[in-house]
Amino acid sequence: MIRLTFPTRETLRRLPFTAADVAITIGALALIVLIAYVGSTALVPFQPPDVLPEPISLDIVHLPYYLARSTLRMFIALFFSLLFTFTYGYVAAHSPRAERVLIPLLDVLQSVPVLGFLSVTIAFFIALFRGSLLGLEAASIFAIFTSQVWNMTFSFYHSLRTIPREQQEMARMFRLSRWQYFTKVEAPNSMIGLTWNTMMSFGGGWFFVAASEAISVLNQDYRLPGIGAYVTEAVDQQNVGALIAAIVAMAIMIVLVDQLVWRPLIAWSQKFRNEQSEAGETPTSWLLNLWRAARLPSLIGEALRPASEFVNRALSGTLAPKPAQMAKPRAAAPAWMDWIYNGLLIALLVAGAVVLIRFILSEVGLPEVVNTFVLGLITMARVAALTAIGTLIWAPIGVAVGFNPRLARLIQPLAQFMSAFPANFLFPFVTVALIATGISLNVGSILLMSLGAQWYILFNVIAGAQTIPSDLREMAANMGLCGWKLWRRLIIPGIFSAWVTGGITASGGAWNASIVAEVVSWGDTTLTATGLGAYIANATAVGDWPRIALGVGMMALFVVALNRLFWRRLYVLAESKYVL
Amino acid sequence: MATALMNDTKTPAMDRNGALIRTVNVFKNFELPDGNGIFTVLENINLTVKPGEIVALLGRSGSGKSTLLRILAGLIPASSGDVFSSGRRVTGPNPDVTMVFQSFALLPWLTVQQNVELGLEALGVPLKERQARALKAIDMVGLDGFESAYPKELSGGMRQRVGFARAFVKQPKVLFMDEPFSALDVLTAENLRGEISDLWEKGDFPAQSVLIVTHNIEEAVYLADRVIILGANPGRVRGEVTIDLPRPRDRSARRFKELVDGIYIAMTNPDRDVTAAMAGVLPRRETPYPPLPHATVGGISGLLELLNERPELRDLPEISSTLQLATDDLLPIVDAAVMLGLAEVRQGDITLTDNGRAFATADIQTSKDIFRAQLLERVPMVKMIYNTLQAKPNGSMRAGFFLDILDEHFPREEAQHQFETAVDWGRYAELFEYDRGEDRLLLPVEASELTD
């Protein structure tokens, strides 16, 4: 007989608490303390222009604190984004009448450049929270929120509208209450898409947290303690060391959040996969494994069971009238109600148009509108160039990576990391290079905008290439297809819909980035490019409200029009013709 | 709570006909896109489900059978007509029924136990009670030990067992099954079907009645007390067949096969009346003329000689491969030999009888004598023909006369085949001759001399 020196897994299980429990408990407590400390410091007095917060210190010792403040902002914004997503998406999916307004509105809202109306919201929130930094805090959080929320909401709404028919029938057959239907059917069905979109949104949010912490409105510089303000300060002082420190800190934070939040969530959400068979390769997370090995969570869960049971029953009781009638065709309300409703909508639209036209004619004048339109065309050319160049560079690389599973496992997380990394941290280096070489920002801004945007093309193309079935690739090799013929017949159709997704995201990101990429500075040197982004940035700096509104409106118009006329059509083509 | 969802709360809980489910002139139309008129899916459906019976809705695709089931379940509304459940008009999800879905419709993120508890949870059954009831239902379908498993860990058959447990646990008045076995492989389906049938026969089935939608004729005959045959485009009730087989049912029973064949004929001939199509089968009469297997005398004597020469050759599949004959071609020959008392089949092995051995070894005239004796003793049809000819003074009769007689017992084409086989056998035995030109049967000269 072999004597066991180490306890077996089974005996370890029998211990009341395992090492995993200790780790989980310590981790949770540490997190709570940290949040409480960082959160409490947000309540400092602030009465511009007399009482201003302490200036940002470039001492590296303060960097972790700034980073923690920025991260806290991100999570607060995430919380509100989720709250908004669940209510807005739920209402839109369940009320046909609300849907008719909410979904087009969402479409427009997601096209509005977030950074453009940051100045408007800052003024509003400062007025709301007089005498405290909370106003700036709220404005920054609001900026992050608006950058995160739209595609989360779309994802949730889409999941609710595509719940498998047999699950709907089963739920009605067994007469689940609305609450039960939400918790047992709707929320689980939306979980995979929502987790993924939340992760992507959160990654994109870093860009906006950095941009919104330091902003000039009405010739007044506002700085919130945070890593974005730190970077801005470093640029002002031309401190390259501090810049590099910020970049490293940011990279560590992105990896940390990924490991502690997103990996576990993604791995956990796999249980909501709607296919009945085990997926080939499922994402894993060491933290989730630790959590599952620990006994404490399940013990607490068991202890709370009666309470959750009580809550469930109470909510089921109050929300019982899950439609007892037959499934009616959607929008079966009397026709006259629809007439009134549609009439109201049309009246609102007409009123809005009148206000808009009066505003344009009285405040800015028609020539200014034409001017912004031309500027919009210039910025659009930059976005188009960026998308084209990004595609030419990254599509072949992405396909090569996607066809090689081992390489893909390595590169894919890297591409996602790069897309989450706030590109504005890298702007100063490019700015220095531009100043040194004397290249105009009119060209250089394309590079700046693509620093953040191009990665969406890369990792979507990788994902697209991975979905091309290997038997089709073998067939192509067997037929002797190679070079351009292979691309034309197999690869381009195969990656097309993934590329469209990447392209939309990249160009949307680039429009937003243009506001910070068409005006850059290094120390006292400021470079300005001709374009709509620079127009908005300059209007914001001097607090010219009509021009801010005009610029933002024009940009939103461009984005909506491009989405409708260009990307939407490609999408339809991808869905109908190139679906694998 | 259940009654609050129904409109006619005043009507008694029992249908005046005693039916659990009853439809009155149910129609279902869908509007075609772009205002191109309407498309009728179901037309004037009238049917009932009574307590204690299994009813099968049998139809091909396009017969709207699943749509009909959903209307009865109150999941979709009928375009016109009424559905009554226990006497109350159905206006929303029917609380008297639960459904087993073709695709199982399990929630992949809930364990077996949680899936089964779902319906009880919706009713507000307390935690302890619903756990106990769910465990019992899981036990009933033979899944004990899998309570905490997730559906994706289970095989298809086990998943459908969860589907059954989830439906059982609510103890519905009527259990609806929407093609419950068609997503399973053949063996698994067969196994599960057998178990459901066993549960029904044991008498503690958790529902009073069952309504099953299927396109599988054997499944319908195996499970149901009544089979309602639906026609397609638009879906309508074509007729009904009562399955009067004792339970447990034996698929190899002749009557079982007859019912399956009859329904098959009815289903493949959409223009024929179901009752007429089933006429050869229903109502069951003892035919005075058992059908003859379609085997030629040459085939029969060939088989007998082979069996005599190679006594070790007994296994039927082996014989069919030795003779390079398809089983379908060999079986009529074997059946004929058995019918004539020349061979016996036991458990798939065939052996010669004494008469058979004599037939195979004797010279041709003796063989004919044996064959004739066996024919007259064991084959009523040939005997009838022979007797008729004997009774005629001229010893001759039109073939049409015999065909008319056979027509009463067989479908038209089959009567023709039967007649041809009878003539082939009778000619060999020298009982009668057939004049093809005149289309008459007549006694052979020698035979008439013999009788003189």
Side-chain angles (χ1 to χ4, degrees):
Chain A
M1 283 282 287
I2 303 163
R3 260 196 70 185
L4 291 170
T5 323
F6 299 102
T8 60
R9 275 181 82 91
E10 285 69 32
T11 41
L12 273 178
R13 285 252 170 79
R14 251 175 268 129
L15 290 171
F17 298 106
T18 61
D21 284 299
V22 177
I24 294 270
T25 313
I26 292 174
L29 289 177
L31 193 64
I32 291 170
V33 169
L34 196 66
I35 292 172
Y37 169 70
V38 174
S40 66
T41 57
L43 300 163
V44 291
F46 171 65
Q47 267 155 359
D50 308 326
V51 186
L52 288 171
E54 278 180 54
I56 303 292
S57 154
L58 286 187
D59 192 341
I60 201 160
V61 183
H62 293 117
L63 190 54
Y65 168 71
Y66 289 143
L67 188 55
R69 283 292 295 270
S70 295
T71 311
L72 187 62
R73 259 169 229 135
M74 290 284 283
F75 278 99
I76 293 171
L78 182 66
F79 170 78
F80 285 110
S81 296
L82 284 170
L83 213 63
F84 180 89
T85 293
F86 280 117
T87 42
Y88 199 99
Y90 192 87
V91 172
H94 283 90
S95 156
R97 210 168 282 156
E99 184 184 26
R100 230 176 302 155
V101 180
L102 294 184
I103 294 309
L105 185 65
L106 202 57
D107 221 17
V108 173
L109 281 175
Q110 74 169 349
S111 309
V112 173
V114 177
L115 293 177
F117 62 85
L118 191 59
S119 46
V120 185
T121 53
I122 283 184
F124 169 75
F125 280 110
I126 288 177
L128 198 65
F129 296 95
R130 276 197 190 285
S132 120
L133 257 189
L134 273 181
L136 280 184
E137 199 70 68
S140 171
I141 289 169
F142 186 75
I144 305 166
F145 166 85
T146 46
S147 77
Q148 289 177 339
V149 74
W150 314 126
N151 75 336
M152 288 166 63
T153 308
F154 259 125
S155 157
F156 182 63
Y157 162 80
H158 185 254
S159 299
L160 293 195
R161 291 303 307 273
T162 52
I163 286 174
R165 199 181 76 121
E166 82 261 15
Q167 285 185 15
Q168 294 179 31
E169 280 185 342
M170 185 279 296
R172 295 177 56 234
M173 184 91 242
F174 288 100
R175 307 209 289 170
L176 303 192
S177 67
R178 276 169 191 274
W179 172 249
Q180 274 184 310
Y181 189 61
F182 178 73
T183 53
K184 296 269 157 70
V185 179
E186 290 180 317
N189 265 301
S190 65
M191 209 46 89
I192 289 189
L194 188 58
T195 315
W196 177 257
N197 276 292
T198 307
M199 182 177 83
M200 297 312 295
S201 290
F202 192 86
W206 288 114
F207 181 90
F208 295 97
V209 83
S212 67
E213 281 170 359
I215 192 159
S216 315
V217 183
L218 306 165
N219 294 317
Q220 171 77 53
D221 275 345
Y222 294 102
R223 298 276 159 94
L224 269 175
I227 192 155
Y230 185 91
V231 169
T232 314
E233 190 64 35
V235 168
D236 284 352
Q237 298 185 19
Q238 306 194 350
N239 187 335
V240 176
L243 264 181
I244 291 174
I247 287 171
V248 172
M250 191 68 241
I252 291 173
M253 182 50 90
I254 290 177
V255 171
L256 229 91
V257 171
D258 181 66
Q259 288 297 309
L260 296 182
V261 180
W262 301 118
R263 281 303 116 194
L265 273 180
I266 295 273
W268 170 78
S269 72
Q270 295 310 307
K271 77 182 233 181
F272 300 111
R273 207 164 266 287
N274 226 331
E275 55 207 43
Q276 300 267 352
S277 57
E278 207 87 61
E281 200 175 321
T282 49
T284 54
S285 150
W286 58 268
L287 183 62
L288 186 68
N289 292 342
L290 190 71
W291 178 268
R292 285 183 173 152
R295 303 191 60 200
L296 210 54
S298 62
L299 281 177
I300 293 174
E302 204 53 46
L304 290 178
R305 184 83 192 267
S308 70
E309 177 74 12
F310 175 78
V311 171
N312 277 337
R313 290 188 64 178
L315 284 172
S316 286
T318 51
L319 299 170
K322 163 81 196 149
Q325 308 89 12
M326 315 271 182
K328 277 188 228 133
R330 291 172 68 85
W336 62 268
M337 298 245 313
D338 267 348
W339 280 107
I340 292 179
Y341 184 73
N342 288 343
L344 273 175
L345 288 185
I346 291 168
L348 264 174
L349 282 178
V350 169
V354 168
V355 168
L356 189 71
I357 290 168
R358 279 191 56 185
F359 162 78
I360 288 171
L361 292 181
S362 62
E363 296 284 340
V364 290
L366 216 51
E368 190 70 14
V369 177
V370 175
N371 180 29
T372 50
F373 181 75
V374 171
L375 290 176
L377 286 178
I378 294 170
T379 301
M380 185 174 87
R382 288 201 184 99
V383 174
L386 164 167
T387 314
I389 296 170
T391 302
L392 284 179
I393 294 175
W394 292 116
I397 295 175
V399 169
V401 170
F403 280 177
N404 182 340
R406 279 178 53 201
L407 206 58
R409 264 200 294 279
L410 209 71
I411 301 290
Q412 186 72 310
L414 206 64
Q416 282 175 23
F417 167 80
M418 288 310 294
S419 72
F421 193 85
N424 32 6
F425 281 32
L426 304 174
F427 282 10
F429 297 100
V430 179
T431 312
V432 169
L434 289 177
I435 293 170
T437 56
I439 297 174
S440 159
L441 187 64
N442 279 324
V443 179
S445 60
I446 298 177
L447 178 60
L448 287 175
M449 282 149 71
S450 67
L451 279 179
Q454 59 188 333
W455 310 109
Y456 292 101
I457 296 178
L458 175 60
F459 76 76
N460 274 296
V461 168
I462 294 178
Q466 282 174 317
T467 59
I468 297 179
S470 57
D471 52 354
L472 282 188
R473 278 165 56 198
E474 283 163 8
M475 178 279 295
N478 186 249
M479 294 282 149
L481 286 183
C482 59
W484 170 240
K485 279 188 187 134
L486 178 68
W487 275 79
R488 205 164 73 95
R489 291 288 172 224
L490 178 69
I491 296 177
I492 291 178
I495 62 171
F496 189 72
S497 78
W499 174 79
V500 172
T501 310
I504 293 179
T505 327
S507 75
W511 277 102
N512 246 319
S514 73
I515 296 174
V516 287
E518 288 180 352
V519 181
V520 289
S521 48
W522 177 251
D524 299 327
T525 320
T526 298
L527 300 178
T528 308
T530 312
L532 192 52
Y535 179 87
I536 295 174
N538 289 331
T540 306
V542 297
D544 184 347
W545 299 110
R547 282 188 170 67
I548 294 174
L550 179 65
V552 168
M554 187 57 78
M555 192 176 276
L557 203 66
F558 263 96
V559 176
V560 170
L562 276 178
N563 280 349
R564 293 269 155 186
L565 299 178
F566 183 67
W567 292 112
R568 186 69 54 91
R569 287 190 187 176
L570 289 188
Y571 223 83
V572 170
L573 185 67
E575 298 252 294
S576 57
K577 195 169 172 193
Y578 296 131
V579 63
L580 275 173
Chain B
M1 193 185 88
T3 49
L5 296 169
M6 315 301 295
N7 269 357
D8 295 342
T9 43
K10 280 175 201 152
T11 39
M14 203 62 192
D15 198 275
R16 53 191 146 79
N17 303 339
L20 289 175
I21 305 270
R22 187 163 60 88
T23 70
V24 182
N25 306 333
V26 163
F27 283 75
K28 180 72 187 174
N29 309 313
F30 285 119
E31 262 177 59
L32 288 175
D34 309 326
N36 284 332
I38 55 168
F39 175 72
T40 305
V41 183
L42 292 169
E43 187 180 73
N44 200 26
I45 305 285
N46 289 289
L47 56 84
T48 57
V49 177
K50 296 190 277 281
E53 67 172 352
I54 300 182
V55 178
L57 284 174
L58 183 66
R60 294 194 283 178
S61 56
S63 61
K65 52 192 189 299
S66 285
T67 307
L68 177 57
L69 195 72
R70 278 162 178 73
I71 290 174
L72 300 184
L75 291 176
I76 51 176
S79 299
S80 70
D82 288 311
V83 178
F84 296 94
S85 181
S86 301
R88 290 178 302 236
R89 208 155 64 82
V90 172
T91 57
N94 186 343
D96 296 335
V97 308
T98 56
M99 180 131 73
V100 176
F101 294 84
Q102 179 177 11
S103 58
F104 322 137
L106 302 178
L107 296 180
W109 38 85
L110 299 186
T111 62
V112 168
Q113 171 98 21
Q114 288 166 333
N115 264 297
V116 174
E117 276 182 34
L118 199 63
L120 296 177
E121 216 179 321
L123 285 181
V125 176
L127 180 64
K128 283 267 151 41
E129 186 190 338
R130 83 178 184 243
Q131 281 176 337
R133 279 171 67 178
L135 277 175
K136 210 178 131 211
I138 292 168
D139 187 43
M140 188 178 252
V141 298
L143 275 183
D144 27 349
F146 288 94
E147 291 86 357
S148 55
Y150 285 94
K152 60 170 163 282
E153 301 167 43
L154 305 179
S155 68
M158 287 161 91
R159 279 181 216 161
Q160 191 57 299
R161 282 167 197 267
V162 181
F164 273 105
R166 185 180 58 188
F168 285 169
V169 80
K170 275 189 80 178
Q171 302 189 312
K173 284 186 180 162
V174 187
L175 179 69
F176 280 13
M177 304 186 195
D178 183 14
E179 306 238 11
F181 309 112
S182 61
L184 307 174
D185 68 79
V186 179
L187 284 177
T188 310
E190 184 59 39
N191 184 14
L192 193 52
R193 206 181 283 127
E195 283 188 40
I196 296 303
S197 171
D198 288 348
L199 267 181
W200 179 261
E201 281 145 26
K202 271 197 331 203
D204 53 357
F205 200 78
Q208 289 181 41
S209 301
V210 175
L211 181 63
I212 177 172
V213 158
T214 180
H215 63 260
N216 180 334
I217 300 172
E218 273 207 37
E219 180 172 295
V221 173
Y222 183 73
L223 289 173
D225 297 305
R226 275 193 299 138
V227 176
I228 295 172
I229 298 178
L230 297 178
N233 302 323
R236 64 199 186 281
V237 174
R238 282 184 57 206
E240 185 180 307
V241 179
T242 304
I243 308 297
D244 51 1
L245 293 167
R247 291 176 190 270
R249 286 175 178 169
D250 175 10
R251 278 168 200 282
S252 55
R254 212 177 75 187
R255 178 86 181 119
F256 189 98
K257 288 178 184 160
E258 283 173 0
L259 283 163
V260 171
D261 289 347
I263 295 175
Y264 181 79
I265 291 168
M267 299 264 296
T268 46
N269 294 284
D271 301 326
R272 272 170 75 171
D273 182 54
V274 171
T275 325
M278 299 294 294
V281 184
L282 292 169
R284 178 137 174 76
R285 282 183 306 191
E286 268 309 317
T287 160
Y289 307 119
L292 309 183
H294 300 301
T296 62
V297 176
I300 300 168
S301 61
L303 175 69
L304 295 177
E305 277 167 35
L306 177 80
L307 291 175
N308 185 52
E309 281 162 27
R310 298 180 54 186
E312 81 285 355
L313 206 58
R314 292 177 156 211
D315 182 47
L316 282 176
E318 205 180 324
I319 294 170
S320 89
S321 68
T322 310
L323 294 177
Q324 296 192 323
L325 266 178
T327 317
D328 285 350
D329 297 328
L330 177 65
L331 283 182
I333 303 175
V334 172
D335 287 346
V338 171
M339 186 178 201
L340 290 162
L342 302 174
E344 287 173 330
V345 173
R346 276 203 206 92
Q347 289 161 347
D349 284 355
I350 182 167
T351 48
L352 290 178
T353 59
D354 292 342
N355 277 329
R357 200 164 295 109
F359 177 90
T361 48
D363 64 83
I364 183 143
Q365 200 51 53
T366 321
S367 294
K368 285 195 176 203
D369 291 341
I370 296 171
F371 199 81
R372 178 163 57 236
Q374 296 299 103
L375 268 183
L376 291 177
E377 188 188 328
R378 305 177 70 113
V379 186
M381 195 188 299
V382 177
K383 191 169 184 223
M384 176 270 288
I385 295 171
Y386 180 67
N387 287 345
T388 310
L389 293 174
Q390 290 252 298
K392 290 276 289 185
N394 61 355
S396 144
M397 183 57 101
R398 298 177 293 116
F401 172 80
F402 299 108
L403 272 175
D404 285 346
I405 294 176
L406 293 180
D407 263 352
E408 287 173 30
H409 304 285
F410 300 99
R412 180 79 224 187
E413 274 174 49
E414 185 56 28
Q416 187 71 38
H417 288 312
Q418 288 290 325
F419 179 72
E420 281 164 14
T421 304
V423 169
D424 180 59
W425 292 6
R427 278 167 120 179
Y428 173 80
E430 297 175 7
L431 283 172
F432 41 79
E433 292 285 341
Y434 176 57
D435 185 333
R436 190 166 293 277
E438 297 271 309
D439 202 22
R440 292 181 78 89
L441 286 178
L442 50 150
L443 290 174
V445 184
E446 301 91 331
S448 55
E449 278 171 2
L450 277 172
T451 50
D452 279 346

